[in-house]
Amino acid sequence: MQDIARLADVSTPTVSRVLNGSPLVTEETRERVLEVARAHGYAVNRNAQKLRHARTNTVAVMLDFGSHRHGAIGDPFVFELLAGVSEALSVRNQDLLLSPPGLDDVRAFRDFHRARGADGFIVLGQGTRDEMLRSLGKHDIPLVVWGAVSSDAGYCAVGSDNLGGGRLAGEHFVSNRRKRWLFVGDIRHEELRLRYEGLKLAAQGARNVAIDLLPIASMAFTVTAETVASYLAGVAPPDAVFAFSDTAAMAVIGAFRDRGLIAPRDYSLVGYNNIPPSAHFHPAITTIDQKTDVAGALLVEKLMEQIEGDRPASVVLPTRMVRRET
């Protein structure tokens, strides 16, 4: 910067203001400094610049690789959330650091934050890490989680009304006079447990309803399809299925079709998330809609409030039933 200042006949602080976009510099001076910088190939070292400031202007966004076999995350819903977060961060001129490796426990998160790897963390999916996240919430580390919202979690969360979504699915089955219900999903995940509990609440108001639970070892599409196929080989088929996601619902449709069972003729089916392909799948999937259009912005807003020293409250987003062919 000293060389650029000498060549542009300005002070070094003026060069710094120009390169940082300060409004305290006249347009004429700004153009002269930028012209000299371009002519001599000068560019700001952003990493060095971050070290001089209290903030890194970087947010680490963590994906739930643990819930997917071999890290194969393929659910469009995850990437809808990620796109919303990315857009909201770009508006605020924040860098996005995607799932830095090694952050598997509280100590790793603390060390990464103290080393100024990121100003804070957005975790997309609690998975089976709720206990670790609760421990992390006890430390002074900016953290926002997409997932189930609990008053005693100790960390800020943004998520849908999973209990209400499960109840909506059950009410759909009741209205179609279905009696043998199946929930497909791993209820060790708090979000999925709440959906299952909501389904059971809806069943309480109906007569002669039985609910079976089919745990899924991984959220990967192929694992879901294989698990459902194995289940159908050993039992009488259910006449209603509530799948933990729309992609899981697609896997269910395939496994049922292989046994000659078609929705809605032979069974009712409800997915979750309302991803765009669910409307164009055959048959079009009845699903529970989450307000993903605002989720990314809310996650970033809550994190920035924490980074600024506030303690924002968690937010539960409403859910609604989108009725289609299944």
Side-chain angles (χ1 to χ4, degrees), residues 19-326:
L19 297 175
N20 282 288
S22 171
L24 302 177
V25 182
T26 65
E27 192 61 29
E28 179 184 355
T29 300
R30 183 187 314 280
E31 287 300 321
R32 184 165 76 253
V33 170
L34 290 176
E35 183 178 350
V36 171
R38 284 192 293 266
H40 291 80
Y42 180 81
V44 176
N45 185 322
R46 295 192 67 190
N47 290 326
Q49 187 183 54
K50 289 176 182 179
L51 292 174
R52 297 179 58 236
H53 296 85
R55 296 246 303 263
T56 67
N57 292 327
T58 298
V59 170
V61 179
M62 312 300 299
L63 301 184
D64 181 21
F65 286 110
S67 297
H68 299 78
R69 177 175 288 181
H70 305 307
I73 293 181
D75 196 318
F77 176 72
V78 175
F79 295 102
E80 282 191 42
L81 273 181
L82 181 59
V85 168
S86 178
E87 181 179 1
L89 288 174
S90 67
V91 169
R92 295 173 179 264
N93 294 317
Q94 303 293 305
D95 289 337
L96 187 156
L97 181 61
L98 185 60
S99 285
L103 299 187
D104 300 320
D105 53 34
V106 173
R107 181 175 180 178
F109 273 86
R110 291 177 60 193
D111 289 348
F112 193 81
H113 183 253
R114 287 175 176 175
R116 301 180 66 188
D119 294 326
F121 303 89
I122 294 176
V123 178
L124 299 184
Q126 289 152 319
T128 57
R129 301 173 293 178
D130 185 58
E131 184 177 348
M132 186 274 288
L133 293 172
R134 285 172 181 260
S135 297
L136 185 60
K138 297 176 182 178
H139 299 275
D140 189 23
I141 298 175
L143 169 72
V144 180
V145 178
W146 169 265
V149 175
S150 175
S151 59
D152 64 349
Y155 57 81
C156 180
V158 176
S160 74
D161 182 1
N162 292 283
L163 189 72
R167 185 185 290 112
L168 288 172
E171 291 171 352
H172 178 68
F173 298 155
V174 171
S175 67
N176 284 278
R177 300 180 181 178
R178 304 301 189 178
K179 299 297 184 182
R180 301 184 311 278
W181 302 359
L182 175 66
F183 180 81
V184 177
D186 185 352
I187 60 173
R188 293 179 301 167
H189 297 225
E190 185 63 12
E191 289 178 277
L192 306 192
R193 186 191 69 79
L194 288 171
R195 295 172 196 176
Y196 180 54
E197 293 298 326
L199 186 70
K200 292 196 296 183
L201 285 175
Q204 291 177 3
R207 296 181 59 185
N208 302 320
V209 169
I211 303 178
D212 202 359
L213 171 65
L214 180 60
I216 304 295
S218 166
M219 289 186 175
F221 182 91
T222 54
V223 176
T224 302
E226 292 167 358
T227 305
V228 174
S230 297
Y231 172 84
L232 290 174
V235 301
D239 61 9
V241 181
F242 183 24
F244 67 85
S245 72
D246 290 338
T247 51
M250 294 175 187
V252 167
I253 289 173
F256 272 63
R257 183 183 291 125
D258 288 344
R259 299 189 68 83
L261 302 169
I262 305 298
R265 183 192 69 193
D266 302 306
Y267 66 102
S268 297
L269 173 68
V270 176
Y272 209 98
N273 294 332
N274 193 26
I275 60 174
S278 65
H280 306 285
F281 200 75
H282 182 69
I285 298 170
T286 296
T287 186
I288 306 299
D289 181 57
Q290 305 186 83
K291 294 185 68 63
T292 53
D293 56 330
V294 300
L298 268 174
L299 287 164
V300 172
E301 178 184 333
K302 296 295 181 180
L303 184 68
M304 290 303 159
E305 289 178 13
Q306 288 186 55
I307 291 173
E308 296 294 340
D310 295 333
R311 296 185 63 84
S314 297
V315 175
V316 178
L317 299 174
T319 53
R320 66 183 181 95
M321 169 76 74
V322 180
R323 296 181 183 274
R324 298 194 179 107
E325 294 176 2
T326 64

